[in-house]
Amino acid sequence: MPDTSGPGLALLVVLVIAAALLLSALAVGVARRRARGAPETPLAEAAPEAPPAPPEAPPAPPPAETLPQEAPPVEPPVVQVPPEVPPAAPAPADVAPVEAPPVEEAPVEEAPEPEAPPAPPKRRVRGIGSSLARLFKGTALTTQDWEDLEEVLLRADVGVAATDRIVTELRGRRGVEDGLGALRDELISVLGNVDRSMHRKPEGLSIWLIAGVNGSGKTTTIGKLAGQLRNEGYTAVLAAADTFRAAADQQLERWAERAEAQIVKHAPGADPAAVVFDAVAAARARPADVLIVDTAGRLQTKRNLMEELGKIRRVLEREAGPPDEVLLVLDATTGQNGIAQARAFAEAVDVTGIVLTKLDGTAKGGIVIAVQQELGIPVKLVGLGETIDDLAPFDPATFVDDLLSA
């Protein structure tokens, strides 16, 4: 049995290992040549003495460090566009953007926006024309028609005396074709062509004394008067001589702020004549153009209050002369009660004019005609709302037109 130990066995092992290494090296070389497209070298020429190689295994990929230095040119990868397309980038600075030529279209003419119609002037009284339309039909009025006309005028508070005068004059006319026009002329005639301007001294301090019962709109009228004076470039001082009504001075103070006027007041319950005395001195010192005096709402049945009103007038006459205006504020909605109020105030002070308030909210505006006919006191101003500008001069023709409207 041969000896398998010693140098012979070691040499055999070395040869086997060397043969295995040689075969591996050849396999690597073949793989490289295949990658470069070079023809394969026959195994017989590379290793003539080596035993036949085992079946060829698929070549393992070469390590990274063994890749060839000169790789074939690789095309740049295609970048996929993300699903959300970002906004288009602006054109380069040196390239002007190309604008598409405008499409010529037929011009479209836009209709101009209609201008808002001007606000209609505020009505000075609710009309009674609808009640008169059936009476004046172009034919002669019957006895019943004349009675109906009297009733319509009385319901409008024209008053008994003025109604009798108007109907008598109309019935005495002959051949009148326009009965409604004749009635208009007669109403304007009753109102008369009298001075309805607000009197004011050309120089120095003017005094306007305002009277009226509580709730007639007296304090509001004072604020509106002060606002008109401001708009005309005059300065006004308000005297809060209504010391009896709670918070009357506070109400007047708010109106003074709106009209940018100054106010003189005392503590509640103070002597009204003392307030007027201080107000005259203050108005002269500032100086002011007009002093407007507010007074308490003195009912005609309270004689002591009427006497107090007379005292205020005497103080004014002593300190500044007779008032330039003594205005009586009447609520048009009170109807014939306004006549009784006007008579009582006229006895206490010399009333120079009427301010008729709330005339736009009543169908009894005929009180204007009744006051003019029975007392001879002209209506100078009419209140048509609650804002500071809702005070207008009284115009007889405009008033009658409103009264006879439908």
Side-chain angles (χ1 to χ4, degrees):
M1 183 176 182
D3 188 5
T4 59
S5 61
L9 181 59
L11 179 59
L12 180 60
V13 172
V14 171
L15 290 176
V16 173
I17 293 173
L21 293 175
L22 180 61
L23 290 176
S24 299
L26 290 175
V28 171
V30 172
R32 291 179 179 176
R33 282 192 295 272
R34 286 180 179 177
R36 291 194 296 253
E40 297 183 2
T41 302
L43 292 178
E45 295 180 4
E49 299 179 357
E56 185 177 350
E65 61 272 11
T66 60
L67 291 177
Q69 296 297 324
E70 297 182 0
V74 181
E75 296 182 0
V78 179
V79 179
Q80 298 293 334
V81 179
E84 297 183 0
V85 181
D94 56 346
V95 179
V98 179
E99 296 182 358
V103 180
E104 296 184 0
E105 297 181 356
V108 180
E109 296 183 359
E110 297 183 358
E113 296 183 0
E115 297 182 358
K122 292 190 175 182
R123 295 281 297 273
R124 296 169 186 260
V125 67
R126 291 184 186 178
I128 59 175
S130 58
S131 301
L132 298 173
R134 61 183 179 83
L135 300 178
F136 299 99
K137 301 177 182 178
T139 59
L141 272 65
T142 65
T143 302
Q144 184 61 47
D145 291 337
W146 288 113
E147 293 178 358
D148 292 343
L149 176 60
E150 291 180 354
E151 183 180 354
V152 170
L153 295 177
L154 290 174
R155 285 184 177 178
D157 271 341
V158 173
V160 176
T163 298
D164 289 344
R165 171 183 168 178
I166 293 168
V167 173
T168 300
E169 290 291 333
L170 290 177
R171 297 190 73 165
R173 297 188 183 189
R174 300 294 181 184
V176 177
E177 296 182 358
D178 185 5
L180 197 59
L183 176 60
R184 176 184 183 276
D185 294 340
E186 191 58 37
L187 290 172
I188 294 177
S189 175
V190 173
L191 291 173
N193 186 19
V194 297
D195 181 16
R196 301 180 188 275
S197 63
M198 294 291 293
H199 295 164
R200 186 173 58 245
K201 293 183 178 69
E203 295 181 358
L205 180 64
S206 299
I207 308 291
W208 291 352
L209 178 64
I210 314 298
V213 300
N214 291 337
S216 62
K218 178 169 48 65
T219 305
T220 300
T221 298
I222 293 174
K224 295 176 181 179
L225 287 171
Q228 287 186 351
L229 290 171
R230 175 202 59 191
N231 295 339
E232 296 172 3
Y234 298 101
T235 58
V237 173
L238 311 184
D242 184 0
T243 59
F244 292 95
R245 184 167 63 92
D249 58 339
Q250 299 177 14
Q251 182 185 5
L252 187 64
E253 190 170 16
R254 288 194 295 269
W255 277 108
E257 293 175 356
R258 298 177 191 176
E260 300 177 2
Q262 298 175 338
I263 185 172
V264 176
K265 64 177 184 176
H266 285 189
D271 183 4
V275 177
V276 172
F277 180 85
D278 291 344
V280 171
R284 283 176 170 170
R286 289 179 180 180
D289 297 305
V290 180
L291 172 64
I292 306 177
V293 180
D294 186 16
T295 60
R298 308 171 193 282
L299 298 177
Q300 64 272 18
T301 56
K302 296 185 178 180
R303 195 66 192 177
N304 59 329
L305 295 181
M306 287 298 181
E307 292 175 355
E308 188 62 39
L309 182 59
K311 180 181 177 181
I312 291 176
R313 182 183 175 92
R314 291 191 296 272
V315 171
L316 289 173
E317 291 178 348
R318 185 182 70 237
E319 299 299 323
D324 300 271
E325 288 286 356
V326 180
L327 299 178
L328 176 61
V329 180
L330 293 179
D331 183 348
T333 62
T334 60
Q336 291 299 308
N337 287 335
I339 301 295
Q341 294 176 14
R343 282 199 181 99
F345 280 102
E347 293 175 1
V349 289
D350 185 14
V351 177
T352 60
I354 301 291
V355 179
L356 203 60
T357 62
K358 308 176 187 178
L359 192 60
D360 57 323
T362 180
K364 297 184 177 183
I367 187 64
V368 174
I369 301 171
V371 170
Q372 185 76 56
Q373 172 69 26
E374 299 186 25
L375 302 178
I377 303 175
V379 175
K380 294 192 171 185
L381 299 167
V382 289
L384 304 173
E386 296 298 326
T387 69
I388 197 169
D389 297 322
D390 289 335
L391 188 68
F394 177 75
D395 179 68
T398 302
F399 167 78
V400 172
D401 288 340
D402 287 344
L403 181 66
L404 297 181
S405 62

